[in-house]
Amino acid sequence: MTERILSQEEIDRVFKELRSRKPADVAERSAQVYDFRRPDRIAKDQLRCIHLLHENFARSLASSLSAYLRAYVLVNLISVEQLSFLEFAQCLPTPTCLATLGMQPYEGSALLEINPALVFPILEMLLGGTGKSTNRVTREVTEIEQCVLDGLYRIILNDLKEAWQSVANINFTVESQETEPQMLQMLAPSEALTAVSLEVRIGDASGIMNIGMPSIVIKMLRQRFGQQWTLRRTQPSDQDQARVLRLIQASELPLDVRLRGPSISLRDLLEIQAGDVLALDYPVSRPKVLEIGAKKKFFCQVVALGNKRAALLGEKVPEKRPPLESPAELAEA
């Protein structure tokens, strides 16, 4: 039995095949990081849906507060992220304006925090002032001031309910009010929370408004989020198409019939004088094109209609239009 010696080319080919070969159990051995301290974290696609939902809430709240305060209000969504309740509470200023929100018919409570830099200008405007005071107030909100803010809470919670209406019918109500984040005992420190941060600008004053919702409640609604996106992807019904057609039937579109002739240089154009003759190089028999809204739609011929010119429509221009110039037309030109 003779020993066969491999050439260098064969050795290189063997090593190349080994490097390119993937083990069959790679998919089985791949693992995902799971944090057992936060079992209620929600999926990223659901988080994106919550982001879009609160963008609508920000626009609606800006309009409602502008009418309520009789001042221009701008609301911008800053972030939507998942935190533990302890991390969320540590990010809040002290003192601040906190409200624990009921979420009927679902169990659990949400949290609404309005920064003092925003609360006191609003209070000043509600009590007849301009809200342009430069003094920064850092004290706690009194009980009387909390009663004055009831109207503000009513507007915020109504817009929040309308924003969530597309997913679930949640009735937000104020259950209690606090000023110290450390005094809150609504959730366990390690429980996951979906935190929504919004910036509110009223004239020269600006502040942050935070909304915290238990992630376990949002996970209960994950099928509702899926249904919402499914409904968005469905095709419009015949009634919807007919309604849109009725709305756009009165629209006006420009009609143009152009003679697509030769081009001219800018030098020749500047030298044109009265009495000069321009050769359009466009045969009479060649069909013109009628453009509707800058899109080629019909072949046509220019005809006389009394003392005016009109376009006699012919065939419809195909999507991939063939050349308009036939060899006979080129010979005629």
Side-chain angles (χ1 to χ4, degrees), residues 22-55:
K22 295 182 179 179
D25 59 341
V26 168
E28 298 178 358
R29 290 184 296 155
S30 60
Q32 295 181 354
V33 178
Y34 183 82
D35 191 351
F36 289 92
R37 297 172 298 177
R38 298 181 181 179
D40 299 325
R41 295 183 69 86
I42 62 178
K44 290 184 178 180
D45 56 345
Q46 194 173 354
L47 201 64
R48 286 192 295 269
C49 186
I50 296 175
H51 192 282
L52 295 175
L53 185 148
H54 284 90
E55 281 184 345

Side-chain angles (χ1 to χ4, degrees), residues 4 7 14 48 65 71 86 91 128 138 153 159 164 197 216 221 227 242-243 250 257 262 265 271 290 292 294 316 333:
R4 182 173 180 272
S7 64
V14 170
R48 286 192 295 269
L65 290 182
L86 179 61
C91 295
T138 57
Y153 285 130
D159 286 346
W164 278 88
S197 297
I216 190 171
L221 302 172
Q227 292 174 2
R243 181 177 59 84
V257 178
S265 66
E271 295 176 354
L290 175 69
I292 302 178
K316 191 174 181 179

Side-chain angles (χ1 to χ4, degrees), residues 158-303:
N158 181 70
D159 286 346
L160 188 60
K161 176 182 177 180
E162 292 295 329
W164 278 88
Q165 192 74 34
S166 59
V167 176
N169 187 14
I170 304 177
N171 186 24
F172 295 95
T173 57
V174 177
E175 293 182 340
S176 63
Q177 298 186 41
E178 297 288 346
T179 57
E180 296 293 335
Q182 292 77 12
M183 301 297 294
L184 292 173
Q185 301 295 331
M186 52 177 288
L187 294 174
S190 60
E191 188 167 350
L193 197 74
T194 302
V196 180
S197 297
L198 302 106
E199 181 190 24
V200 182
R201 290 183 175 272
I202 307 174
D204 297 333
S206 64
I208 302 298
M209 182 173 67
N210 294 300
I211 302 173
M213 299 182 65
S215 294
I216 190 171
V217 176
I218 297 179
K219 284 189 67 176
M220 293 171 56
L221 302 172
R222 59 182 178 272
Q223 294 182 352
R224 300 287 186 88
F225 284 100
Q227 292 174 2
Q228 179 196 19
W229 291 111
T230 302
L231 291 175
R232 288 188 176 184
R233 295 191 189 102
T234 55
Q235 296 294 330
S237 63
D238 294 339
Q239 295 180 351
D240 293 336
Q241 293 180 358
R243 181 177 59 84
V244 173
L245 179 60
R246 287 195 303 269
L247 293 175
I248 65 175
Q249 277 182 341
S251 303
E252 295 183 359
L253 296 174
L255 300 180
D256 290 326
V257 178
R258 299 180 181 272
L259 301 177
R260 301 293 182 182
S263 59
I264 186 173
S265 66
L266 179 60
R267 181 183 300 103
D268 295 337
L269 181 63
L270 295 176
E271 295 176 354
I272 287 179
Q273 302 293 330
D276 291 347
V277 178
L278 294 178
L280 297 181
D281 193 19
Y282 200 100
V284 178
S285 59
R286 183 190 305 173
K288 289 74 179 172
V289 177
L290 175 69
E291 297 182 359
I292 302 178
K295 291 187 177 180
K296 299 177 176 61
K297 290 296 183 180
F298 294 95
F299 295 116
C300 65
Q301 293 290 344
V302 178
V303 297

Side-chain angles (χ1 to χ4, degrees), residues 41-201:
R41 295 183 69 86
I42 62 178
K44 290 184 178 180
D45 56 345
Q46 194 173 354
L47 201 64
R48 286 192 295 269
C49 186
I50 296 175
H51 192 282
L52 295 175
L53 185 148
H54 284 90
E55 281 184 345
N56 296 332
F57 167 67
R59 289 191 291 268
S60 176
L61 183 61
S63 177
S64 300
L65 290 182
S66 297
Y68 180 64
L69 301 175
R70 297 182 181 180
Y72 178 71
V73 179
L74 182 64
V75 182
N76 292 319
L77 179 62
I78 299 177
S79 63
V80 178
E81 55 186 344
Q82 298 181 78
L83 303 170
S84 66
F85 178 69
L86 179 61
E87 293 171 338
F88 179 77
Q90 289 176 346
C91 295
L92 302 180
T94 303
T96 188
C97 189
L98 293 166
T100 304
L101 307 178
M103 303 174 61
Q104 299 299 328
Y106 301 96
E107 296 182 358
S109 300
L111 184 67
L112 173 65
E113 186 266 338
I114 306 177
N115 198 276
L118 184 62
V119 169
F120 289 104
I122 292 177
L123 283 171
E124 183 180 347
M125 297 179 70
L126 292 176
L127 296 176
T130 61
K132 298 181 179 179
S133 176
T134 57
N135 297 328
R136 186 177 181 85
V137 184
T138 57
R139 62 174 176 82
E140 296 182 357
V141 178
T142 64
E143 293 183 4
I144 296 177
E145 290 170 337
Q146 288 179 352
C147 294
V148 176
L149 292 174
D150 286 345
L152 176 67
Y153 285 130
R154 188 163 53 249
I155 290 174
I156 295 174
L157 299 186
N158 181 70
D159 286 346
L160 188 60
K161 176 182 177 180
E162 292 295 329
W164 278 88
Q165 192 74 34
S166 59
V167 176
N169 187 14
I170 304 177
N171 186 24
F172 295 95
T173 57
V174 177
E175 293 182 340
S176 63
Q177 298 186 41
E178 297 288 346
T179 57
E180 296 293 335
Q182 292 77 12
M183 301 297 294
L184 292 173
Q185 301 295 331
M186 52 177 288
L187 294 174
S190 60
E191 188 167 350
L193 197 74
T194 302
V196 180
S197 297
L198 302 106
E199 181 190 24
V200 182
R201 290 183 175 272

